[in-house]
Amino acid sequence: MTGPQLVPGAGSIEKLGATITPDGVNFAVYSEAATAIWVSLYDEQDQEIERFELDVHADNIRAGLIAGIGAGARYGLRADGRYDPDQGYFFDPHKLLVDPYARRLDRVFVRSPRLRLPREEAVDTAPLIPKAIVVGDGNENALPRKKAPSLFYELNVRGFSMRHPSVQGPLRGTIAALTTKWVIDHFKHMGVDTIQLMPTAAWIDEGHLPALGLTNAWGYNPVAYFAIDPRLAPRGPQELRVMTDLYRKNGISVILDVVYNHTGESDAQGPMLSMMGLDAHTYYRFVEVDGKQHLVNDTGTGNTLRCDHPAVQRLVIESLRYWVEEMGVSGFRFDLATVLGREPGFNPEAEMLRKIKADPVLSKCILVAEPWDPGPGGYALGKFGKEFQEHNDTFRDEVRAFWKGEPAKIGALAGKVSGSAEIFNFAGRKPHHGVNMLAVHDGFTLRDLVSYHDKHNEANGENNRDGHSNNQSWNCGVEGETDDPAINVARKRDVRALLATLFLSRGTPLIQQGDEMYRTQQGNNNAYAQDNEITWLDWEGGDGSLVDFVASINAFRRAHPAISHDHFLSGQDRNGFRDVAWLHPEGREMNEGDWNDGGASVLGMHLKYKDDEVLVWFNRRIDPVDATLPEGDWVVGIDSDPDAAIAIADGRVQIGARSVLALVRPTAQA
């Protein structure tokens, strides 16, 4: 045998994708509507050397065994069948397609008008499409680090590492950069135990970006769910496994942000890259309007994954297991997670969600839902069950509103720092199920939150129309950057107060990259297309004292079970003590009139758990406030204002302006 040859009738449908066997490579592809599927093989010069039609057809799977090839072989798929875009059929053998189960790609996706030409005008798109690379068996299976996260850190690989001084040039922007000792030491110093990598699956730019000279910086436009984008792992997927193994040894879990809600193939005018050309009706949702089939756009991106279809469920489950077993990740944050449960409306008991929860591997992982999507009925916070943690946007909104100065927010603040019991306290759930955040990738950074009243997204090329307009932000007197020292002091003071509120609350805290060092995105609250210094962390210009503050307040939180214990605060007597009492600065407990006072701006939270006792004061006023303390001795535990000189005398303490102060009993000091 001198070259690749199809072994007639030998294809297996057991495993989808490209599987190395003793006799060659088995290819298997799912499609209900294709009349023929071919595997095109390519050499390293990107020339097609052979094309084989898969000759086994069973259970809507076409398969074939090609002898004479093995690991390293480059390939793509071609499919034929009905071509009727008005009815959702896009078959065209001129379009080379990426295998949905491809483990590695030889290059990044690049947009071109030729990728969406109609069949009658089509040219061979092979020169434009990444080739899948056949890979052998990976590392031995990893065991997920099933430990409840105490602090999530959201991280974009490129933005985090492009300007890191300890990362050598070729490694910048890659997963390998994260294995640098100084990077790991940064996380350990802050007490981060769970890294959440923003999407790593191979993605493509949105259609309007190339004309603007912009590229997708975040990765929320995936095409291949098993393949790491080559920009992030140029030497192959093993770079991720090296990272996860190293982080596990350092006590840090790594989870992936995954986008099982849409793909970068977009709408019917989008590029033909993979599943749209293999069988659009299987992989995507359609709705009939006036006799035509239209792609459902519950995601706001042009298409919506059909997660109630068995083939899509298999794709999702098998790719998730691949990332855990082969790549060593410990869990996932699901972007627009409600799409996983759409039938087409959201059903918390949907089969896809049940399969994830029941899977023997995935059920042992950290599972986090972004519990909403832009589609009808897409907001489902609190509905994902005890297996999932959920991003709690109500914490973000209410805490921001309190510190911004909106009236009548004392009660809302108390509810949020208590763990959002109105959302999570049912069906066996606990405060940790709520992931509390003040800022994440899609919004202002913490610095920009207190520096800009309005978004400034002009760099995105959409005349500032994109991004959220309601940010609950404030600028401390001047819009944007300023040399005014008083305003800059006020802004840093507000950021510390916000961070203190986050860490002194029930629930699991999350911070996004760079907020611990006071980074700015120049007022851009939708920097998805800014793969440049707008999103790259300025390590050398970062605020080291703020990093130390995050480390100290996280250590304080961990040392005090009165703050971190995983139960909802009730104020009821249990075991001879009340877990919380809410205090007015006059020293008495809050009464109904206090709670209903629209101008109330100071709140005391007196926490007890066993022999641990902590008193937290929140003061959003622009002036210091004197507060009367409960009887007994108190000492300062954490003060968010680094310049305040806190004195406790005669049972009273002065709380600094716009600050958070935590006091502890001397016997319960950290």
Side-chain angles (χ1 to χ4, degrees), residues 391-423:
H391 277 206
N392 183 4
D393 63 327
T394 70
F395 180 92
R396 174 198 66 201
D397 295 345
E398 296 293 0
V399 170
R400 286 186 180 188
F402 172 80
W403 286 105
K404 183 181 180 182
E406 289 195 8
K409 287 298 179 181
I410 282 285
L413 176 71
K416 295 303 104 180
V417 299
S418 298
S420 300
E422 78 282 5
I423 298 170

PDB file of all heavy atoms in Angstrom, residues 391-423:
ATOM      1  N   HIS A 391     -24.157  32.749  38.246  1.00  0.00           N
ATOM      2  CA  HIS A 391     -23.772  34.149  38.314  1.00  0.00           C
ATOM      3  C   HIS A 391     -24.965  34.973  38.784  1.00  0.00           C
ATOM      4  O   HIS A 391     -26.061  34.878  38.230  1.00  0.00           O
ATOM      5  CB  HIS A 391     -23.295  34.638  36.949  1.00  0.00           C
ATOM      6  CG  HIS A 391     -21.873  34.304  36.671  1.00  0.00           C
ATOM      7  ND1 HIS A 391     -21.086  35.039  35.822  1.00  0.00           N
ATOM      8  CD2 HIS A 391     -21.070  33.315  37.149  1.00  0.00           C
ATOM      9  CE1 HIS A 391     -19.870  34.519  35.781  1.00  0.00           C
ATOM     10  NE2 HIS A 391     -19.843  33.471  36.581  1.00  0.00           N
ATOM     11  N   ASN A 392     -24.741  35.779  39.814  1.00  0.00           N
ATOM     12  CA  ASN A 392     -25.811  36.525  40.469  1.00  0.00           C
ATOM     13  C   ASN A 392     -25.720  37.999  40.086  1.00  0.00           C
ATOM     14  O   ASN A 392     -25.034  38.783  40.741  1.00  0.00           O
ATOM     15  CB  ASN A 392     -25.711  36.337  41.986  1.00  0.00           C
ATOM     16  CG  ASN A 392     -26.834  37.023  42.733  1.00  0.00           C
ATOM     17  OD1 ASN A 392     -27.745  37.584  42.135  1.00  0.00           O
ATOM     18  ND2 ASN A 392     -26.763  36.985  44.056  1.00  0.00           N
ATOM     19  N   ASP A 393     -26.409  38.368  39.015  1.00  0.00           N
ATOM     20  CA  ASP A 393     -26.347  39.756  38.564  1.00  0.00           C
ATOM     21  C   ASP A 393     -27.074  40.700  39.514  1.00  0.00           C
ATOM     22  O   ASP A 393     -26.806  41.910  39.517  1.00  0.00           O
ATOM     23  CB  ASP A 393     -26.892  39.900  37.150  1.00  0.00           C
ATOM     24  CG  ASP A 393     -28.357  39.524  37.038  1.00  0.00           C
ATOM     25  OD1 ASP A 393     -28.802  38.617  37.767  1.00  0.00           O
ATOM     26  OD2 ASP A 393     -29.057  40.117  36.190  1.00  0.00           O
ATOM     27  N   THR A 394     -27.974  40.170  40.341  1.00  0.00           N
ATOM     28  CA  THR A 394     -28.661  41.050  41.288  1.00  0.00           C
ATOM     29  C   THR A 394     -27.694  41.568  42.351  1.00  0.00           C
ATOM     30  O   THR A 394     -27.866  42.682  42.855  1.00  0.00           O
ATOM     31  CB  THR A 394     -29.851  40.338  41.963  1.00  0.00           C
ATOM     32  OG1 THR A 394     -29.389  39.324  42.855  1.00  0.00           O
ATOM     33  CG2 THR A 394     -30.787  39.731  40.934  1.00  0.00           C
ATOM     34  N   PHE A 395     -26.698  40.772  42.706  1.00  0.00           N
ATOM     35  CA  PHE A 395     -25.673  41.259  43.636  1.00  0.00           C
ATOM     36  C   PHE A 395     -24.958  42.450  43.015  1.00  0.00           C
ATOM     37  O   PHE A 395     -24.799  43.502  43.645  1.00  0.00           O
ATOM     38  CB  PHE A 395     -24.680  40.147  43.967  1.00  0.00           C
ATOM     39  CG  PHE A 395     -23.597  40.563  44.929  1.00  0.00           C
ATOM     40  CD1 PHE A 395     -23.763  40.376  46.283  1.00  0.00           C
ATOM     41  CD2 PHE A 395     -22.424  41.162  44.486  1.00  0.00           C
ATOM     42  CE1 PHE A 395     -22.775  40.769  47.187  1.00  0.00           C
ATOM     43  CE2 PHE A 395     -21.437  41.567  45.367  1.00  0.00           C
ATOM     44  CZ  PHE A 395     -21.616  41.370  46.727  1.00  0.00           C
ATOM     45  N   ARG A 396     -24.502  42.288  41.782  1.00  0.00           N
ATOM     46  CA  ARG A 396     -23.811  43.380  41.079  1.00  0.00           C
ATOM     47  C   ARG A 396     -24.663  44.650  41.059  1.00  0.00           C
ATOM     48  O   ARG A 396     -24.204  45.739  41.412  1.00  0.00           O
ATOM     49  CB  ARG A 396     -23.501  42.929  39.651  1.00  0.00           C
ATOM     50  CG  ARG A 396     -22.902  43.995  38.745  1.00  0.00           C
ATOM     51  CD  ARG A 396     -23.038  43.585  37.290  1.00  0.00           C
ATOM     52  NE  ARG A 396     -24.442  43.546  36.888  1.00  0.00           N
ATOM     53  CZ  ARG A 396     -24.907  42.862  35.841  1.00  0.00           C
ATOM     54  NH1 ARG A 396     -24.073  42.125  35.110  1.00  0.00           N
ATOM     55  NH2 ARG A 396     -26.189  42.893  35.544  1.00  0.00           N
ATOM     56  N   ASP A 397     -25.915  44.507  40.647  1.00  0.00           N
ATOM     57  CA  ASP A 397     -26.758  45.684  40.438  1.00  0.00           C
ATOM     58  C   ASP A 397     -27.114  46.380  41.745  1.00  0.00           C
ATOM     59  O   ASP A 397     -27.081  47.619  41.832  1.00  0.00           O
ATOM     60  CB  ASP A 397     -28.034  45.278  39.695  1.00  0.00           C
ATOM     61  CG  ASP A 397     -27.753  44.775  38.284  1.00  0.00           C
ATOM     62  OD1 ASP A 397     -26.632  45.014  37.785  1.00  0.00           O
ATOM     63  OD2 ASP A 397     -28.644  44.140  37.689  1.00  0.00           O
ATOM     64  N   GLU A 398     -27.447  45.610  42.767  1.00  0.00           N
ATOM     65  CA  GLU A 398     -27.867  46.234  44.025  1.00  0.00           C
ATOM     66  C   GLU A 398     -26.691  46.830  44.790  1.00  0.00           C
ATOM     67  O   GLU A 398     -26.815  47.893  45.404  1.00  0.00           O
ATOM     68  CB  GLU A 398     -28.619  45.223  44.895  1.00  0.00           C
ATOM     69  CG  GLU A 398     -29.934  44.728  44.298  1.00  0.00           C
ATOM     70  CD  GLU A 398     -30.997  45.820  44.194  1.00  0.00           C
ATOM     71  OE1 GLU A 398     -30.728  46.983  44.579  1.00  0.00           O
ATOM     72  OE2 GLU A 398     -32.095  45.507  43.722  1.00  0.00           O
ATOM     73  N   VAL A 399     -25.547  46.157  44.769  1.00  0.00           N
ATOM     74  CA  VAL A 399     -24.381  46.710  45.464  1.00  0.00           C
ATOM     75  C   VAL A 399     -23.901  47.977  44.760  1.00  0.00           C
ATOM     76  O   VAL A 399     -23.559  48.986  45.402  1.00  0.00           O
ATOM     77  CB  VAL A 399     -23.258  45.657  45.567  1.00  0.00           C
ATOM     78  CG1 VAL A 399     -21.957  46.285  46.066  1.00  0.00           C
ATOM     79  CG2 VAL A 399     -23.683  44.534  46.511  1.00  0.00           C
ATOM     80  N   ARG A 400     -23.884  47.955  43.429  1.00  0.00           N
ATOM     81  CA  ARG A 400     -23.516  49.173  42.705  1.00  0.00           C
ATOM     82  C   ARG A 400     -24.488  50.311  43.032  1.00  0.00           C
ATOM     83  O   ARG A 400     -24.075  51.454  43.251  1.00  0.00           O
ATOM     84  CB  ARG A 400     -23.531  48.915  41.195  1.00  0.00           C
ATOM     85  CG  ARG A 400     -22.373  48.094  40.666  1.00  0.00           C
ATOM     86  CD  ARG A 400     -22.433  48.045  39.146  1.00  0.00           C
ATOM     87  NE  ARG A 400     -21.353  47.272  38.552  1.00  0.00           N
ATOM     88  CZ  ARG A 400     -21.109  47.216  37.248  1.00  0.00           C
ATOM     89  NH1 ARG A 400     -21.884  47.879  36.408  1.00  0.00           N
ATOM     90  NH2 ARG A 400     -20.101  46.504  36.782  1.00  0.00           N
ATOM     91  N   ALA A 401     -25.783  49.989  43.036  1.00  0.00           N
ATOM     92  CA  ALA A 401     -26.787  51.021  43.287  1.00  0.00           C
ATOM     93  C   ALA A 401     -26.618  51.628  44.678  1.00  0.00           C
ATOM     94  O   ALA A 401     -26.766  52.845  44.858  1.00  0.00           O
ATOM     95  CB  ALA A 401     -28.195  50.437  43.121  1.00  0.00           C
ATOM     96  N   PHE A 402     -26.309  50.785  45.667  1.00  0.00           N
ATOM     97  CA  PHE A 402     -26.093  51.309  47.021  1.00  0.00           C
ATOM     98  C   PHE A 402     -24.942  52.300  47.029  1.00  0.00           C
ATOM     99  O   PHE A 402     -25.072  53.434  47.520  1.00  0.00           O
ATOM    100  CB  PHE A 402     -25.830  50.165  47.996  1.00  0.00           C
ATOM    101  CG  PHE A 402     -25.410  50.637  49.358  1.00  0.00           C
ATOM    102  CD1 PHE A 402     -26.350  51.077  50.272  1.00  0.00           C
ATOM    103  CD2 PHE A 402     -24.067  50.661  49.724  1.00  0.00           C
ATOM    104  CE1 PHE A 402     -25.963  51.537  51.537  1.00  0.00           C
ATOM    105  CE2 PHE A 402     -23.670  51.112  50.974  1.00  0.00           C
ATOM    106  CZ  PHE A 402     -24.628  51.547  51.884  1.00  0.00           C
ATOM    107  N   TRP A 403     -23.788  51.891  46.487  1.00  0.00           N
ATOM    108  CA  TRP A 403     -22.612  52.752  46.569  1.00  0.00           C
ATOM    109  C   TRP A 403     -22.728  53.963  45.641  1.00  0.00           C
ATOM    110  O   TRP A 403     -22.098  55.001  45.886  1.00  0.00           O
ATOM    111  CB  TRP A 403     -21.344  51.957  46.279  1.00  0.00           C
ATOM    112  CG  TRP A 403     -20.972  51.068  47.426  1.00  0.00           C
ATOM    113  CD1 TRP A 403     -21.125  49.720  47.503  1.00  0.00           C
ATOM    114  CD2 TRP A 403     -20.432  51.481  48.675  1.00  0.00           C
ATOM    115  NE1 TRP A 403     -20.713  49.260  48.722  1.00  0.00           N
ATOM    116  CE2 TRP A 403     -20.274  50.326  49.469  1.00  0.00           C
ATOM    117  CE3 TRP A 403     -20.066  52.711  49.207  1.00  0.00           C
ATOM    118  CZ2 TRP A 403     -19.765  50.378  50.761  1.00  0.00           C
ATOM    119  CZ3 TRP A 403     -19.554  52.765  50.498  1.00  0.00           C
ATOM    120  CH2 TRP A 403     -19.409  51.602  51.261  1.00  0.00           C
ATOM    121  N   LYS A 404     -23.540  53.851  44.602  1.00  0.00           N
ATOM    122  CA  LYS A 404     -23.769  55.010  43.739  1.00  0.00           C
ATOM    123  C   LYS A 404     -24.566  56.079  44.470  1.00  0.00           C
ATOM    124  O   LYS A 404     -24.460  57.270  44.163  1.00  0.00           O
ATOM    125  CB  LYS A 404     -24.511  54.577  42.471  1.00  0.00           C
ATOM    126  CG  LYS A 404     -24.723  55.696  41.471  1.00  0.00           C
ATOM    127  CD  LYS A 404     -25.484  55.207  40.247  1.00  0.00           C
ATOM    128  CE  LYS A 404     -25.686  56.343  39.244  1.00  0.00           C
ATOM    129  NZ  LYS A 404     -26.473  55.905  38.062  1.00  0.00           N
ATOM    130  N   GLY A 405     -25.379  55.648  45.448  1.00  0.00           N
ATOM    131  CA  GLY A 405     -26.155  56.606  46.223  1.00  0.00           C
ATOM    132  C   GLY A 405     -27.631  56.603  45.924  1.00  0.00           C
ATOM    133  O   GLY A 405     -28.350  57.530  46.322  1.00  0.00           O
ATOM    134  N   GLU A 406     -28.112  55.571  45.254  1.00  0.00           N
ATOM    135  CA  GLU A 406     -29.546  55.520  44.978  1.00  0.00           C
ATOM    136  C   GLU A 406     -30.319  55.383  46.287  1.00  0.00           C
ATOM    137  O   GLU A 406     -29.893  54.684  47.206  1.00  0.00           O
ATOM    138  CB  GLU A 406     -29.865  54.348  44.043  1.00  0.00           C
ATOM    139  CG  GLU A 406     -29.381  54.569  42.622  1.00  0.00           C
ATOM    140  CD  GLU A 406     -29.999  53.591  41.651  1.00  0.00           C
ATOM    141  OE1 GLU A 406     -30.911  52.834  42.049  1.00  0.00           O
ATOM    142  OE2 GLU A 406     -29.565  53.581  40.490  1.00  0.00           O
ATOM    143  N   PRO A 407     -31.475  56.036  46.371  1.00  0.00           N
ATOM    144  CA  PRO A 407     -32.243  55.998  47.627  1.00  0.00           C
ATOM    145  C   PRO A 407     -32.848  54.633  47.901  1.00  0.00           C
ATOM    146  O   PRO A 407     -33.040  53.815  46.989  1.00  0.00           O
ATOM    147  CB  PRO A 407     -33.337  57.053  47.402  1.00  0.00           C
ATOM    148  CG  PRO A 407     -33.487  57.138  45.912  1.00  0.00           C
ATOM    149  CD  PRO A 407     -32.115  56.892  45.352  1.00  0.00           C
ATOM    150  N   ALA A 408     -33.139  54.395  49.169  1.00  0.00           N
ATOM    151  CA  ALA A 408     -33.861  53.194  49.622  1.00  0.00           C
ATOM    152  C   ALA A 408     -33.151  51.903  49.218  1.00  0.00           C
ATOM    153  O   ALA A 408     -33.768  50.962  48.725  1.00  0.00           O
ATOM    154  CB  ALA A 408     -35.295  53.204  49.083  1.00  0.00           C
ATOM    155  N   LYS A 409     -31.853  51.833  49.432  1.00  0.00           N
ATOM    156  CA  LYS A 409     -31.087  50.642  49.053  1.00  0.00           C
ATOM    157  C   LYS A 409     -30.492  49.906  50.250  1.00  0.00           C
ATOM    158  O   LYS A 409     -29.756  48.935  50.074  1.00  0.00           O
ATOM    159  CB  LYS A 409     -29.971  51.013  48.069  1.00  0.00           C
ATOM    160  CG  LYS A 409     -30.477  51.344  46.672  1.00  0.00           C
ATOM    161  CD  LYS A 409     -31.165  50.142  46.037  1.00  0.00           C
ATOM    162  CE  LYS A 409     -31.705  50.442  44.659  1.00  0.00           C
ATOM    163  NZ  LYS A 409     -32.394  49.270  44.066  1.00  0.00           N
ATOM    164  N   ILE A 410     -30.803  50.342  51.472  1.00  0.00           N
ATOM    165  CA  ILE A 410     -30.258  49.666  52.654  1.00  0.00           C
ATOM    166  C   ILE A 410     -30.759  48.225  52.729  1.00  0.00           C
ATOM    167  O   ILE A 410     -29.995  47.281  52.976  1.00  0.00           O
ATOM    168  CB  ILE A 410     -30.633  50.445  53.930  1.00  0.00           C
ATOM    169  CG1 ILE A 410     -29.720  51.654  54.087  1.00  0.00           C
ATOM    170  CG2 ILE A 410     -30.555  49.561  55.165  1.00  0.00           C
ATOM    171  CD1 ILE A 410     -28.320  51.323  54.548  1.00  0.00           C
ATOM    172  N   GLY A 411     -32.049  48.017  52.529  1.00  0.00           N
ATOM    173  CA  GLY A 411     -32.604  46.669  52.593  1.00  0.00           C
ATOM    174  C   GLY A 411     -32.051  45.772  51.511  1.00  0.00           C
ATOM    175  O   GLY A 411     -31.753  44.596  51.754  1.00  0.00           O
ATOM    176  N   ALA A 412     -31.909  46.314  50.303  1.00  0.00           N
ATOM    177  CA  ALA A 412     -31.354  45.520  49.207  1.00  0.00           C
ATOM    178  C   ALA A 412     -29.913  45.122  49.495  1.00  0.00           C
ATOM    179  O   ALA A 412     -29.495  43.989  49.219  1.00  0.00           O
ATOM    180  CB  ALA A 412     -31.440  46.303  47.898  1.00  0.00           C
ATOM    181  N   LEU A 413     -29.136  46.053  50.061  1.00  0.00           N
ATOM    182  CA  LEU A 413     -27.753  45.726  50.418  1.00  0.00           C
ATOM    183  C   LEU A 413     -27.723  44.579  51.421  1.00  0.00           C
ATOM    184  O   LEU A 413     -26.941  43.620  51.268  1.00  0.00           O
ATOM    185  CB  LEU A 413     -27.059  46.949  50.995  1.00  0.00           C
ATOM    186  CG  LEU A 413     -25.634  46.692  51.500  1.00  0.00           C
ATOM    187  CD1 LEU A 413     -24.685  46.446  50.341  1.00  0.00           C
ATOM    188  CD2 LEU A 413     -25.149  47.856  52.371  1.00  0.00           C
ATOM    189  N   ALA A 414     -28.568  44.655  52.445  1.00  0.00           N
ATOM    190  CA  ALA A 414     -28.597  43.595  53.452  1.00  0.00           C
ATOM    191  C   ALA A 414     -28.934  42.247  52.819  1.00  0.00           C
ATOM    192  O   ALA A 414     -28.344  41.216  53.164  1.00  0.00           O
ATOM    193  CB  ALA A 414     -29.609  43.945  54.541  1.00  0.00           C
ATOM    194  N   GLY A 415     -29.888  42.247  51.892  1.00  0.00           N
ATOM    195  CA  GLY A 415     -30.259  40.993  51.239  1.00  0.00           C
ATOM    196  C   GLY A 415     -29.139  40.396  50.419  1.00  0.00           C
ATOM    197  O   GLY A 415     -28.946  39.178  50.396  1.00  0.00           O
ATOM    198  N   LYS A 416     -28.371  41.254  49.753  1.00  0.00           N
ATOM    199  CA  LYS A 416     -27.286  40.754  48.902  1.00  0.00           C
ATOM    200  C   LYS A 416     -26.100  40.247  49.729  1.00  0.00           C
ATOM    201  O   LYS A 416     -25.548  39.180  49.452  1.00  0.00           O
ATOM    202  CB  LYS A 416     -26.828  41.848  47.941  1.00  0.00           C
ATOM    203  CG  LYS A 416     -27.876  42.278  46.918  1.00  0.00           C
ATOM    204  CD  LYS A 416     -28.391  41.128  46.062  1.00  0.00           C
ATOM    205  CE  LYS A 416     -29.749  40.650  46.450  1.00  0.00           C
ATOM    206  NZ  LYS A 416     -30.263  39.539  45.624  1.00  0.00           N
ATOM    207  N   VAL A 417     -25.700  40.999  50.763  1.00  0.00           N
ATOM    208  CA  VAL A 417     -24.554  40.547  51.555  1.00  0.00           C
ATOM    209  C   VAL A 417     -24.920  39.335  52.402  1.00  0.00           C
ATOM    210  O   VAL A 417     -24.034  38.619  52.897  1.00  0.00           O
ATOM    211  CB  VAL A 417     -23.990  41.684  52.433  1.00  0.00           C
ATOM    212  CG1 VAL A 417     -23.514  42.843  51.568  1.00  0.00           C
ATOM    213  CG2 VAL A 417     -24.999  42.154  53.464  1.00  0.00           C
ATOM    214  N   SER A 418     -26.223  39.067  52.553  1.00  0.00           N
ATOM    215  CA  SER A 418     -26.682  37.890  53.300  1.00  0.00           C
ATOM    216  C   SER A 418     -26.710  36.626  52.452  1.00  0.00           C
ATOM    217  O   SER A 418     -26.967  35.544  52.970  1.00  0.00           O
ATOM    218  CB  SER A 418     -28.091  38.132  53.851  1.00  0.00           C
ATOM    219  OG  SER A 418     -28.108  39.198  54.750  1.00  0.00           O
ATOM    220  N   GLY A 419     -26.501  36.758  51.145  1.00  0.00           N
ATOM    221  CA  GLY A 419     -26.473  35.573  50.297  1.00  0.00           C
ATOM    222  C   GLY A 419     -27.612  35.459  49.311  1.00  0.00           C
ATOM    223  O   GLY A 419     -27.789  34.408  48.694  1.00  0.00           O
ATOM    224  N   SER A 420     -28.420  36.502  49.133  1.00  0.00           N
ATOM    225  CA  SER A 420     -29.540  36.474  48.174  1.00  0.00           C
ATOM    226  C   SER A 420     -30.442  35.276  48.429  1.00  0.00           C
ATOM    227  O   SER A 420     -30.757  34.490  47.525  1.00  0.00           O
ATOM    228  CB  SER A 420     -29.020  36.458  46.733  1.00  0.00           C
ATOM    229  OG  SER A 420     -28.236  37.594  46.443  1.00  0.00           O
ATOM    230  N   ALA A 421     -30.892  35.151  49.660  1.00  0.00           N
ATOM    231  CA  ALA A 421     -31.719  34.002  50.041  1.00  0.00           C
ATOM    232  C   ALA A 421     -33.006  33.927  49.240  1.00  0.00           C
ATOM    233  O   ALA A 421     -33.523  32.834  48.986  1.00  0.00           O
ATOM    234  CB  ALA A 421     -32.036  34.074  51.538  1.00  0.00           C
ATOM    235  N   GLU A 422     -33.536  35.080  48.830  1.00  0.00           N
ATOM    236  CA  GLU A 422     -34.786  35.072  48.065  1.00  0.00           C
ATOM    237  C   GLU A 422     -34.638  34.362  46.726  1.00  0.00           C
ATOM    238  O   GLU A 422     -35.624  33.940  46.115  1.00  0.00           O
ATOM    239  CB  GLU A 422     -35.284  36.516  47.854  1.00  0.00           C
ATOM    240  CG  GLU A 422     -34.576  37.309  46.775  1.00  0.00           C
ATOM    241  CD  GLU A 422     -33.211  37.858  47.167  1.00  0.00           C
ATOM    242  OE1 GLU A 422     -32.733  37.546  48.280  1.00  0.00           O
ATOM    243  OE2 GLU A 422     -32.608  38.604  46.369  1.00  0.00           O
ATOM    244  N   ILE A 423     -33.389  34.184  46.277  1.00  0.00           N
ATOM    245  CA  ILE A 423     -33.123  33.511  45.004  1.00  0.00           C
ATOM    246  C   ILE A 423     -32.650  32.079  45.211  1.00  0.00           C
ATOM    247  O   ILE A 423     -33.073  31.162  44.499  1.00  0.00           O
ATOM    248  CB  ILE A 423     -32.053  34.290  44.203  1.00  0.00           C
ATOM    249  CG1 ILE A 423     -32.563  35.690  43.870  1.00  0.00           C
ATOM    250  CG2 ILE A 423     -31.665  33.538  42.930  1.00  0.00           C
ATOM    251  CD1 ILE A 423     -31.493  36.601  43.302  1.00  0.00           C
TER     252      ILE A 423
END
